[in-house]
Amino acid sequence: MVFRSWFSRFSPSSKHIARALFATGARERFSYSAETIAPKRSDRRFPWLTALKLAVALPFGAAAFDFLHRDPSLCDSSQELQRLVFLKLLFPGSSFRIEGKGSSGLVVQGRHRRAPQELIDELKSICDDNLTFDYEERCFHGKPQSSFHRAVNIPDVVVYPRSEEEVSKIVKACSKHKVPIVPYGGATSLEGHILSPCGGVCIDMALMKKIKVLHVKDMDVVVEPGIGWMELNEYLKPYGLFFPLDPGPGASIGGMCATRCSGSLAVRYGTMRDNVISLQVVLADGGIVKTASRARKSSAGYDLTRLLIGSEGTLGVITEVTLRLQKLPEHSVVAMCQFPTIKDAADVAIATMLSGIQVSRVELLDEVQVKAINLGNGKNLPEVPTLMFEFVGTEANAREQTLLVQKIVGEHNGSDFVYVEDPEAKSELWRIRKEALWACLAMKPDYEAMITDVCVPLSCLAECISKSKVELDASPLVCTVIAHAGDGNFHTFILFDPNNEEHLREAERLNHFMVDTALSMEGTCTGEHGVGSGKMKYLEKELGIEALRTMKKIKTALDPNDVMNPGKLIPPHVCF
């Protein structure tokens, strides 16, 4: 402590350094080895060497902290980050590290911004009994089983608003107290979107699931965000309409908007951004914005709808969605065929799309996935790469498309081309595809699945899958591949023992390899799962730092207190 006044001579901003170094909680907040930070033997023999190192390091540390202190809105410059930067400057060989774009960790931790009692009282007055402090319920919301990512912290409270007005009041109160907000939908997302790394308030939209109004003649519907896509389609069926996106069972419309999801039907009907007409969203200050009219097209102003679709709760909480609907097909045919290699199967998917045939689905399963289906569902399918197609339209048109694709299959080493038109047979085939994950997990009941996806330009699909398969097949872990092959998007299920460090490293290595391969082909690190906390580390390589700085500017403008789902989407190292 005798050096404190001496430190102050190096820079007018040194008080920030001193505060960072001598804060009472500094040693408790970081895990580092005393042996690593202890002076070397030469430093103990010649104490002046230590002083000299400090004299050299401190001006640079002061300059860095002065920059951060003058305008902390430019970066995520929490006290923890400032202290780590300072310690790094003093002890460059130390064992602690600053998490950044190269991080491969699966556990997310942020500074816990706990909800104060005053905020709790406000939430009770807004939500009445529709909130909980139960530890198990908070853990359930803060550590979703669908994601292999985990967070150290969990929400301090879970609230269940019943209306847009209540959401607005909740958000306004949280913003006033600078307490984080994490919107929560169907909890089927995979990249850590609904983790609560900073604690705070989880807003579960389960009670907001009304179908507000259906416009049959306009083929659109206005819904609240909590309703699921399967539930919505059951309601629409008597009207001869359906909503064409089909992600995982249990996904809610609000979450589907937030992650810009798609599914197996995207090859024909597009992704979520193509099927949402308008949104109503509560912004970070509690204000409510309507992004567009109900017109099918408009050139009026900024496209706020597309800005908020895929924003993952970082810009606002979705409270109402107007969806574009489609007519239920008059007739459909489902076909299946096998191939000697996965490249042959991918080549057929590409050739089918280039032929101009308007397929409804083109799904690819590798031989490991087919084996899992046989084991999990008691089937006896040939355990080779397999393609599944769906053709829709009039009966004559659907059959014509089927025969055209059968010819393409025959030209690319395909075999055993079969097709069905019976409703029960078609449902059974697609049920097998939809339950693929559960079939995989049944192969290793005590393991977890790292589920990842990438997407590449269609012409690169065969090469990308083939390169990835070489690594996956050589791995000691069980890995399966499923692709929405018609739009270049494919998934891998990597089964690993969560208690085995070598398994974790290998699973993450395979994930990195797939992403790097896709990016080298001008693809994307995520075709439909979103970014969350899991894919942030790849965004700079994919989009460039200027794109990320632009995102950061938008985020800071709309959410200056960083309360909207912090720690997601935008990497923490991005400044502007």
Side-chain angles (χ1 to χ4, degrees), residues 136-147:
E136 289 188 4
E137 194 67 24
R138 291 187 293 122
C139 275
F140 178 80
H141 282 76
K143 299 184 178 180
Q145 295 305 305
S146 59
S147 173

Side-chain angles (χ1 to χ4, degrees), residues 176-480:
K176 180 176 71 174
H177 293 281
K178 298 181 172 58
V179 170
I181 298 160
V182 179
Y184 187 96
T188 60
S189 59
L190 299 168
E191 293 293 350
H193 299 84
I194 53 176
L195 299 178
S196 297
C198 302
V201 177
C202 174
I203 303 180
D204 190 325
M205 310 301 285
L207 299 182
M208 293 182 61
K209 53 192 309 181
K210 296 175 187 170
I211 298 173
K212 289 187 155 184
V213 57
L214 170 64
H215 303 105
V216 176
K217 292 182 178 180
D218 296 323
M219 295 174 62
D220 68 50
V221 64
V222 183
V223 301
E224 290 185 326
I227 190 168
W229 67 272
M230 299 177 77
E231 186 180 352
L232 175 61
N233 277 337
E234 284 297 315
Y235 173 84
L236 295 172
K237 195 172 183 179
Y239 299 95
L241 300 170
F242 80 115
F243 181 63
L245 272 70
D246 60 339
S252 69
I253 295 297
M256 291 163 67
C257 290
T259 56
R260 196 161 64 233
C261 81
S262 50
S264 64
L265 288 167
V267 66
R268 183 179 181 92
Y269 299 105
T271 69
M272 203 67 187
R273 70 180 180 185
D274 305 304
N275 289 279
V276 175
I277 297 172
S278 177
L279 297 171
Q280 282 192 190
V281 180
V282 174
L283 301 179
D285 62 357
I288 300 170
V289 60
K290 184 182 175 81
T291 62
S293 71
R294 204 163 53 83
R296 282 296 177 112
K297 65 178 185 179
S298 171
S299 57
Y302 293 130
D303 194 342
L304 298 179
T305 307
R306 303 300 174 273
L307 172 64
L308 288 158
I309 292 174
S311 62
E312 301 185 2
T314 62
L315 301 180
V317 181
I318 296 169
T319 53
E320 182 181 286
V321 188
T322 303
L323 298 169
R324 186 190 305 265
L325 303 178
Q326 301 290 337
K327 290 288 291 182
L328 281 169
E330 178 183 325
H331 188 77
S332 68
V333 177
V334 175
M336 179 183 286
C337 52
Q338 283 80 40
F339 298 87
T341 70
I342 201 159
K343 183 180 184 303
D344 289 325
D347 283 339
V348 165
I350 296 168
T352 300
M353 300 308 298
L354 289 175
S355 72
I357 298 171
Q358 293 294 305
V359 293
S360 181
R361 290 182 171 108
V362 188
E363 298 290 289
L364 186 155
L365 296 78
D366 77 344
E367 69 282 0
V368 187
Q369 181 60 62
V370 177
K371 180 179 180 180
I373 289 169
N374 284 340
L375 292 172
N377 295 280
K379 300 296 180 183
N380 191 30
L381 300 171
E383 293 178 1
V384 294
T386 300
L387 275 181
M388 299 176 66
F389 296 91
E390 183 180 60
F391 310 98
V392 299
T394 64
E395 184 173 347
N397 182 247
R399 285 182 179 172
E400 180 186 9
Q401 293 177 74
T402 304
L403 296 175
L404 288 172
V405 170
Q406 184 176 20
K407 182 181 178 183
I408 294 172
V409 169
E411 294 169 352
H412 290 79
N413 302 319
S415 62
D416 299 326
F417 188 94
V418 296
Y419 61 91
V420 294
E421 298 178 81
D422 176 71
E424 288 187 10
K426 290 185 293 186
S427 295
E428 175 62 17
L429 282 178
W430 286 122
R431 185 183 69 81
I432 289 172
R433 166 61 186 89
K434 279 293 181 185
E435 296 178 0
L437 172 59
W438 315 119
C440 285
L441 292 173
M443 297 177 76
K444 297 281 187 179
D446 297 327
Y447 282 28
E448 289 186 15
M450 180 180 287
I451 308 170
T452 187
D453 84 311
V454 296
C455 189
V456 293
L458 189 58
S459 62
C460 300
L461 178 65
E463 182 184 0
C464 190
I465 292 183
S466 298
K467 284 187 175 181
S468 298
K469 275 289 287 178
V470 170
E471 289 292 318
L472 297 171
D473 291 345
S475 172
L477 302 183
V478 175
C479 308
T480 73

Side-chain angles (χ1 to χ4, degrees), residues 65-259:
F65 275 113
D66 186 51
F67 170 76
L68 291 172
H69 182 79
R70 277 186 284 111
D71 196 347
S73 69
L74 298 183
C75 307
D76 292 340
S77 54
S78 65
Q79 291 180 355
E80 286 82 356
L81 179 59
Q82 293 181 9
R83 289 168 184 154
L84 279 172
V85 170
F86 179 76
L87 291 172
K88 273 289 189 183
L89 286 165
L90 261 62
F91 308 106
S94 57
S95 60
F96 52 84
R97 64 195 177 96
I98 302 170
E99 294 289 347
K101 59 186 176 183
S103 168
S104 61
L106 303 180
V107 179
V108 185
Q109 181 175 14
R111 180 168 57 89
H112 194 166
R113 291 184 263 170
R114 196 177 302 277
Q117 187 59 46
E118 184 181 349
L119 173 59
I120 297 298
D121 293 339
E122 290 181 49
L123 295 176
K124 286 179 178 178
S125 68
I126 295 168
C127 300
D128 296 327
D129 295 328
N130 294 318
L131 78 171
T132 182
F133 303 95
D134 180 76
Y135 180 76
E136 289 188 4
E137 194 67 24
R138 291 187 293 122
C139 275
F140 178 80
H141 282 76
K143 299 184 178 180
Q145 295 305 305
S146 59
S147 173
F148 54 87
H149 298 284
R150 297 289 183 268
V152 172
N153 296 315
I154 61 173
D156 300 318
V157 57
V158 181
V159 297
Y160 301 85
R162 294 158 295 188
S163 67
E164 184 177 73
E165 182 183 6
E166 286 190 3
V167 174
S168 175
K169 290 178 180 178
I170 292 166
V171 172
K172 190 176 294 185
C174 290
S175 185
K176 180 176 71 174
H177 293 281
K178 298 181 172 58
V179 170
I181 298 160
V182 179
Y184 187 96
T188 60
S189 59
L190 299 168
E191 293 293 350
H193 299 84
I194 53 176
L195 299 178
S196 297
C198 302
V201 177
C202 174
I203 303 180
D204 190 325
M205 310 301 285
L207 299 182
M208 293 182 61
K209 53 192 309 181
K210 296 175 187 170
I211 298 173
K212 289 187 155 184
V213 57
L214 170 64
H215 303 105
V216 176
K217 292 182 178 180
D218 296 323
M219 295 174 62
D220 68 50
V221 64
V222 183
V223 301
E224 290 185 326
I227 190 168
W229 67 272
M230 299 177 77
E231 186 180 352
L232 175 61
N233 277 337
E234 284 297 315
Y235 173 84
L236 295 172
K237 195 172 183 179
Y239 299 95
L241 300 170
F242 80 115
F243 181 63
L245 272 70
D246 60 339
S252 69
I253 295 297
M256 291 163 67
C257 290
T259 56

